[in-house]
């Protein structure tokens, strides 16, 4: 417990000022988080750090972050070459690295970096927007955990995450309505209380789905945590699994209700 609390305090001391300042500082913070998450995923997938695949994945992510500085045609060509670089590892290793593993990495690269880039986009809208997302996820996770411990009887997805219950999931999502109402009455994110509640419920559910996706990936490769980068908390992928999927979802929903 002491290690877990210490790690959380240190992480917040580093993360919160960068979140508050925003701009380029937070932009490249989210990129760094994406690279660290991909490091964890590459190591999970191949049981070791494959520098070529990690490098190609990170460069592909960088193209998303530099989309305004690089011509689109150059981006497409570079992405194509990076995919070829990943595929070349299959040949170089004599098929010890499988095509299906490379396909998985290509998909997860998009999944990770789009998720973190959307987190940056929310911060670019305002500190309130990203605060709303993080608090929604935190409330959902916390109340789902305690609600599941108290009332959980029916498993949500026993083959992926045996400890999660349907009751806990429902309680977690319903608790997020508190965040919806708080932000409706104190900010200008939403102009309609019903929209605020519906959007928040969707974000809450999608966040839980992101948690299950990450759990499924770890289960496929037989690991408990994505890494030990955050002692007591696991890895970056563990801590941001819900945010990675819910951030793009919130961006889309805000575009619809704006």
């Amino acid at each position: 417990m002491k290690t877990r609390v210490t790690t959380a305090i240190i992480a917040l001391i580093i993360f919160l000022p960068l979140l508050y300042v925003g701009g380029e500082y937070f932009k490249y913070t989210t990129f760094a988080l994406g690279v660290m998450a991909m490091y964890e995923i590459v190591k999970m997938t191949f049981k070791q750090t494959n520098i070529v695949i990690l490098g190609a994945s990170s460069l592909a992510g960088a193209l998303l972050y530099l989309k305004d500085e690089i011509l689109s045609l150059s981006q497409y060509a570079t992405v194509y070459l990076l995919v070829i670089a990943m595929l070349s590892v299959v040949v170089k290793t004599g098929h010890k690295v499988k095509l299906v593993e490379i396909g998985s990495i290509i998909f997860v690269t998009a999944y990770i970096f789009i998720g973190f880039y959307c987190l940056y986009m929310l911060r670019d809208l305002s500190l309130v927007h990203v605060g709303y997302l993080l608090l929604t996820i935190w409330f959902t996770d916390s109340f789902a955990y305690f609600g599941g411990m108290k009332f959980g009887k029916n498993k949500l997805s026993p083959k992926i995450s045996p400890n999660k219950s349907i009751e806990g999931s429902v309680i977690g999502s319903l608790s997020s309505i508190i965040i919806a109402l708080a932000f409706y009455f104190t900010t200008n994110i939403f102009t309609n209380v019903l929209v605020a509640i519906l959007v928040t419920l969707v974000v809450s559910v999608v966040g839980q789905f992101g948690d299950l996706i990450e759990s499924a990936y770890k289960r496929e490769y037989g690991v408990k945590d994505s890494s030990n980068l955050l002692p007591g908390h696991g890895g970056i992928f563990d801590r941001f699994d819900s945010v990675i999927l819910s951030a793009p979802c919130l961006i889309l929903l805000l575009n619809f209700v704006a």
Side-chain angles (χ1 to χ4, degrees):
M1 179 59 73
K2 183 179 179 180
T3 300
R4 185 178 178 86
V5 172
T6 302
T7 300
I9 292 172
I10 294 172
L12 288 173
I13 289 173
I14 296 172
F15 181 76
L16 289 180
L18 293 167
L19 174 62
Y20 179 78
V21 172
E24 296 293 302
Y25 292 101
F26 192 65
K27 180 178 183 179
Y28 294 110
T29 296
T30 56
F31 173 69
L33 290 171
V35 172
M36 287 188 282
M38 284 310 306
Y39 162 79
E40 295 170 348
I41 290 165
V42 168
K43 196 167 184 179
M44 277 194 289
T45 305
F46 303 105
K47 308 302 181 187
Q48 60 182 347
T49 304
N50 189 303
I51 298 300
V52 174
I53 293 174
L54 177 59
S57 172
S58 300
L59 286 173
L63 291 176
L64 174 62
Y65 278 80
L66 297 173
K67 62 184 179 63
D68 295 328
E69 290 84 1
I70 302 175
L71 294 175
S72 59
L73 184 60
S74 300
Q75 280 183 309
Y76 294 136
T78 305
V79 168
Y80 180 76
L81 292 175
L82 291 172
V83 170
I84 295 300
M86 289 189 193
L87 291 172
S88 70
V89 177
V90 176
V91 178
K92 184 179 179 181
T93 62
H95 207 204
K96 289 181 181 179
V97 172
K98 308 298 181 185
L99 280 170
V100 68
E101 293 172 333
I102 297 299
S104 174
I105 290 295
I106 292 170
F107 165 76
V108 176
T109 296
Y111 180 76
I112 292 292
F113 283 108
I114 289 174
F116 277 116
Y117 188 77
C118 285
L119 181 62
Y120 155 68
M121 288 176 64
L122 287 170
R123 177 60 187 90
D124 209 35
L125 288 174
S126 77
L127 185 60
V128 173
H129 283 82
V130 73
Y132 160 77
L133 175 69
L134 295 177
L135 283 173
T136 298
I137 296 301
W138 180 70
F139 253 64
T140 300
D141 287 349
S142 299
F143 278 86
Y145 175 75
F146 291 111
M149 287 183 64
K150 181 72 173 178
F151 302 105
K153 293 181 179 179
N154 300 289
K155 299 298 183 182
L156 179 64
S157 184
K159 291 186 178 180
I160 294 177
S161 190
N163 294 327
K164 288 183 172 59
S165 67
I166 294 174
E167 293 83 2
S169 176
V170 171
I171 291 170
S173 288
L174 290 178
S175 75
S176 70
I177 295 175
I178 298 172
I179 300 299
L181 295 176
F183 276 78
Y184 170 73
F185 286 114
T186 61
T187 72
N188 61 355
I189 293 182
F190 303 107
T191 57
N192 182 293
V193 66
L194 181 59
V195 169
I197 292 172
L198 290 176
V199 167
T200 304
L201 286 173
V202 172
V203 170
S204 173
V205 170
V206 170
Q208 293 187 69
F209 188 60
D211 187 6
L212 289 172
I213 290 174
E214 194 253 358
S215 295
Y217 202 94
K218 291 190 296 185
R219 188 164 289 275
E220 285 186 19
Y221 293 99
V223 298
K224 182 179 182 293
D225 296 318
S226 59
S227 78
N228 60 355
L229 283 176
L230 302 171
H233 292 266
I236 300 299
F237 196 20
D238 290 312
R239 292 303 92 206
F240 287 88
D241 51 4
S242 297
V243 173
I244 289 167
L245 192 59
S246 58
C249 174
L250 179 57
I251 292 285
L252 288 172
L253 291 173
L254 290 175
N255 283 332
F256 281 123
V257 302

